[in-house]
């Protein structure tokens, strides 16, 4: 398995590297590798070759490949560097098993050397006020962008300004970079070597322990990074999860006297001027701050969050280290895969979010805004946000309502399942409706309220990292889901370009087959082994070896939130599928925006509901209407990650669906289904009147001739016998129409309140008077008469409201059908 993973990651440079080895390595060394490979199993052969491929394809050794076609002198110099590198590595490796680790170390050193030489800050887009334009939520006024602390360190994230500040103290940056490399280089090399030699399983626990120890030693920035990783039990092995949990539960506190001094400095007064009580020791500690329980002078219990000392300068240096490390990753990945991700931009997005978390006043404003959005949304009443006391909140101290709660992730599975329903309601509204979402919902930030008026609800904490998504991007996310589910690959490519996963000038001929192969397995009948976001994410990464697939910075924010929520949910329900659960929200957004006139979303809605012949797919419509009223199909009802034809086994009844269609939210569906509704009404009326007329004739004792009925035709008034009139206006249903009425039309029959007994079929018995009323109305072609007759025919079947409200549009379609029949008279 491990060999296959490396084979996938290094597929592109493999053949080049083998050729390069022949050119670069001294003959004795080449023979040693060849002989060693010859006596080992196939997967070991591949691993050893791939190890060589990895280093040859990176940094200085890879220059031979990248300089192909350039000046011969430069190429000869690179060949010489490659020869020296490979020869040195193979000579210094005491055993073949050590070669991959040695090669990885040399590759990292070469990549670091390149980054040290070419290191430049990322480009920033600034607004008119000089503030960085990004997805991270900044609620404070624009003047805050220019603020600095007493030492001149920028208080608002800016790569350029931070580089300028630390450029005056290069020694500190160099020392921090050295600290990082001292941990990272041997660890990565060891992990790479273990993976290539098939020994990764045995080394998991040691590698995890060493990584967590390094994160704790390096400080808050790296602890925060570890916390992001610690919420994926379905991705990381148990040994790694056990070690990473230490970053949630074993965070060292700082001295409480120091914390009190920070509060005094921020307030400019003694603590007893604000608090009547403040706990001696913190009740909780996090990577950036620790929390005390306090009581205001009026008796209100509060949580007092105090920032760690020197957090700002430490984190600003660490972000420099991370940006530089991202440059190393970019150097390696660009040589090993077709991926075009700007890893510096990803780090800068993470870094800006982390930096912004240090501004507690901005966090408080985020918290207030989120609370207002939740309170304004009826379906989100199961989640609360603590009140904030702005008058006692500064940049480094945050005072908010005290709430007694338990981590949702620590509750029994059934309670987690119930809580996740409330959590996903809020999260999906954040993502698709509000465009304002919590970027760090780790288990410690999602609690079950144990007491008080909100007992049994969830409380969402920590709003330091909140991001905003423009409506255009939210629309593109929705259409991407629709295009994927309907297998509209051209449309999906358009969405991925709009979302910046793919370049505008990407080669669709190359890209489309790869995307089809990777994503089709998550659709109906695709057979993917796991139907969760993590599995999808891993498969998406495999595409980077074949096509230039990029990860936009804002997606890292989204992914962080999604994997956190899904990680908690999977503890309560191993079959949880966030994308499937999200369908009602996708539908809600689709209908809302198409109803508002969005051409993009209107086209997506048509693509979802209409088949190749322009007819509404009734099962899909049924699933959509159920989703629109908030009922999602259970995982057991779905046949794929995305299944638009999965109708809930226990859904809303027809009356609820009719009320939805008559509401403003249903207006975008109306143009698509009016024609199908008219077709169904025509079939119902024809079937009912013909059946009723036959019963009426049979009931006449003795049989009597019926008087002719006046019929308005394009050629004038004509008298027709009722039997002839019936054949003209209400012809007998054909076989295809019978099948449609008994199967595909069921959703429309349901909307008309007409039930279909699976054993007895369609019951359309009507009185003789109703039959004659309908025939007379159709013959007269008077709008009011037809409307009353049809409405009366359906009056006992709860569909009268829908027909009455939509009559103008329905009647236009019916007139077209009846007009064609009368044209032949």
């Amino acid at each position: 398995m491990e060999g296959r993973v490396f084979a996938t990651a290094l597929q592109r440079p493999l053949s080049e590297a083998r050729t390069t080895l022949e050119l670069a390595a001294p003959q004795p060394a080449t023979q040693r590798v060849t002989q060693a490979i010859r006596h080992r199993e196939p997967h070991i052969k591949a691993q050893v070759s791939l190890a060589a491929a990895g280093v040859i394809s990176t940094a200085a050794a890879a220059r031979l490949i990248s300089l192909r076609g350039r000046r011969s002198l430069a190429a000869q110099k690179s060949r010489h560097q490659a020869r020296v590198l490979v020869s040195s590595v193979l000579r210094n490796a005491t055993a073949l098993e050590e070669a991959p680790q040695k090669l990885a170390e040399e590759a990292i050193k070469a990549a670091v050397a390149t980054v040290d030489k070419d290191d430049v800050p990322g480009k920033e887009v600034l607004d008119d006020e000089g503030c960085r334009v990004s997805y991270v939520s900044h609620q404070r006024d624009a003047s805050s962008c220019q603020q600095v602390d007493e030492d001149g360190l920028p208080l608002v994230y800016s790569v350029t300004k931070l580089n300028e500040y630390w450029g005056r103290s290069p020694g500190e940056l160099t020392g921090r970079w050295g600290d990082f490399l001292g941990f990272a280089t041997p660890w990565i090399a060891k992990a790479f070597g273990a993976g290539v030699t098939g020994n990764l399983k045995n080394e998991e626990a040691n590698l995890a322990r060493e990584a967590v120890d390094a994160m704790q030693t390096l400080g808050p920035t790296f602890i925060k990074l570890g916390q992001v990783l610690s919420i994926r039990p379905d991705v990381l092995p148990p040994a790694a999860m056990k070690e990473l949990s230490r970053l949630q539960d074993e965070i060292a506190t700082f001295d409480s006297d120091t914390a009190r001094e920070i509060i005094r400095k921020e307030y400019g007064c003694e603590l007893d001027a604000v608090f009547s009580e403040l706990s001696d020791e913190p009740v909780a500690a996090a990577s950036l701050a620790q929390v005390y329980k306090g009581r205001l002078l009026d008796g209100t219990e509060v949580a007092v969050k105090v920032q760690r000392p020197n957090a700002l300068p430490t984190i600003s240096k660490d972000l420099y280290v991370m940006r530089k490390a991202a440059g190393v990753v970019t150097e390696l990945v660009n040589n090993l895969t077709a991926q075009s991700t700007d890893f510096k931009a990803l780090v800068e997005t993470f870094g800006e979010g982390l930096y912004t978390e240090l501004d507690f006043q901005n966090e408080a404003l985020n918290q207030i805004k989120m609370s207002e959005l939740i309170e304004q949304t009826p379906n989100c009443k199961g989640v609360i946000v603590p009140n904030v006391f702005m008058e006692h909140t500064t940049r480094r101290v945050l005072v908010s309502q005290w709430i007694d709660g338990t981590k949702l992730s620590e509750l029994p599975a059934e309670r987690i399942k119930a809580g996740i329903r409330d959590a996903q309601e809020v999260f999906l509204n954040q993502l698709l409706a509000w465009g304002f979402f919590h970027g760090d919902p780790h288990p410690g930030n999602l609690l079950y309220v144990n007491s008080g008026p909100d007992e049994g609800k969830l409380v969402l904490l920590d709003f330091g990292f909140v991001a905003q998504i423009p409506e255009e991007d939210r629309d593109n996310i929705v259409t991407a889901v629709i295009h994927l589910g309907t297998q509209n690959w051209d449309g999906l490519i358009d969405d991925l370009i709009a979302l910046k996963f793919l370049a505008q000038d990407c080669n669709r001929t190359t890209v489309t087959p790869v995307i089809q192969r990777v994503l089709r397995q998550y659709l109906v009948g695709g057979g993917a082994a796991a139907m969760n976001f993590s599995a999808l994410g891993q498969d998406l990464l495999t595409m980077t070896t074949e096509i230039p697939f990029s990860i936009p910075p804002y997606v890292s924010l989204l992914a962080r939130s999604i994997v956190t929520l899904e990680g908690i949910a999977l503890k309560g329900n191993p079959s949880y599928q966030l994308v499937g659960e999200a369908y009602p929200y996708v539908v809600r957004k689709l209908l809302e925006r198409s109803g508002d006139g969005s051409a993009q979303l209107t086209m997506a809605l048509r693509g979802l509901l209409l088949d190749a012949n322009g007819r509404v797919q009734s099962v899909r419509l049924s699933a959509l209407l159920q989703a629109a009223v908030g009922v999602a199909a259970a995982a057991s009802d779905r046949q794929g990650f995305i299944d638009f034809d999965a109708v809930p086994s226990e859904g809303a009844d027809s009356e609820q669906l009719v009320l939805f269609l008559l509401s403003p939210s249903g207006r975008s569906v109306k143009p698509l289904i009016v024609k199908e509704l008219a077709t169904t009404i025509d079939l119902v009326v024809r079937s009912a009147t013909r059946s009723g007329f036959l019963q009426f004739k049979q009931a006449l004792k003795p049989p009597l001739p019926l008087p002719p009925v006046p019929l308005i035709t394009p050629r004038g008034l004509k008298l027709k016998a009722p039997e002839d009139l019936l054949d003209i206006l209400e012809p007998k249903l054909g076989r295809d129409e019978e099948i449609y009425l008994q199967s595909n039309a069921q959703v429309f029959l349901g909307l008309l309140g007409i039930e279909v007994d699976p054993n007895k079929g369609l019951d359309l018995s009507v009185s003789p008077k109703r039959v004659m009323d309908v025939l007379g109305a159709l013959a007269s072609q008077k709008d009011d008469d037809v409307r009353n007759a049809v409405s009366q025919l359906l009056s006992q079947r709860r569909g009268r409201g829908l027909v009455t409200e939509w009559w103008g549009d329905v009647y236009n379609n019916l007139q077209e059908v009846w007009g064609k029949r009368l044209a032949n008279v």
Side-chain angles (χ1 to χ4, degrees), residues 402-445:
W402 176 267
I403 294 179
D404 177 31
T406 303
K407 288 182 184 179
L408 179 61
S409 60
E410 294 178 354
L411 295 175
E414 285 303 311
R415 184 55 242 176
I416 291 177
K417 287 174 69 174
I420 282 297
R421 283 195 290 270
D422 293 324
Q424 81 180 14
E425 182 76 39
V426 169
F427 169 75
L428 291 168
N429 271 290
Q430 290 176 28
L431 173 61
L432 297 175
W434 309 332
F436 185 79
F437 70 94
H438 194 301
D440 188 22
H442 67 71
N445 289 339

Side-chain angles (χ1 to χ4, degrees), residues 1 8-10 33 37 128 267 382 557 582 621 629 662 669 703 718:
M1 175 63 184
T8 300
L10 299 170
V33 174
I37 291 176
D128 294 338
Y267 285 174
L557 305 181
L621 172 65
V629 297
L662 294 178
V669 184
K718 294 186 178 182

Side-chain angles (χ1 to χ4, degrees), residues 185-238:
T185 301
W187 188 90
I188 294 172
K190 183 177 179 180
F192 182 81
V196 169
T197 57
N199 199 37
L200 187 58
K201 186 71 176 176
N202 296 332
E203 290 294 329
E204 276 178 0
N206 288 334
L207 287 167
R209 183 169 56 254
E210 291 172 11
V212 171
D213 288 345
M215 289 174 183
Q216 290 180 321
T217 302
L218 288 169
T221 313
F222 297 92
I223 289 172
K224 196 77 175 178
L225 183 62
Q227 288 175 342
V228 173
L229 299 173
S230 71
I231 45 111
R232 295 305 298 183
D234 56 321
V235 177
L236 296 172

Side-chain angles (χ1 to χ4, degrees), residues 661-662 669-685 748 751-752 778 783 786-787 790-791 794 799-819:
L661 288 171
L662 294 178
V669 184
K670 178 181 175 182
L672 300 179
I673 69 172
V674 159
K675 186 173 183 179
E676 297 292 341
L677 199 62
T679 298
T680 302
I681 290 174
D682 178 59
L683 295 177
V684 168
V685 171
F748 303 106
L751 295 175
L752 295 170
L778 293 180
D783 183 5
V786 174
R787 175 176 177 171
V790 173
S791 296
L794 301 170
R800 185 177 180 182
L802 191 63
V803 175
T804 301
E805 292 291 331
W806 288 6
W807 178 253
D809 297 284
V810 170
Y811 185 51
N812 287 339
N813 281 272
L814 287 171
Q815 274 190 315
E816 183 179 344
V817 173
W818 295 332

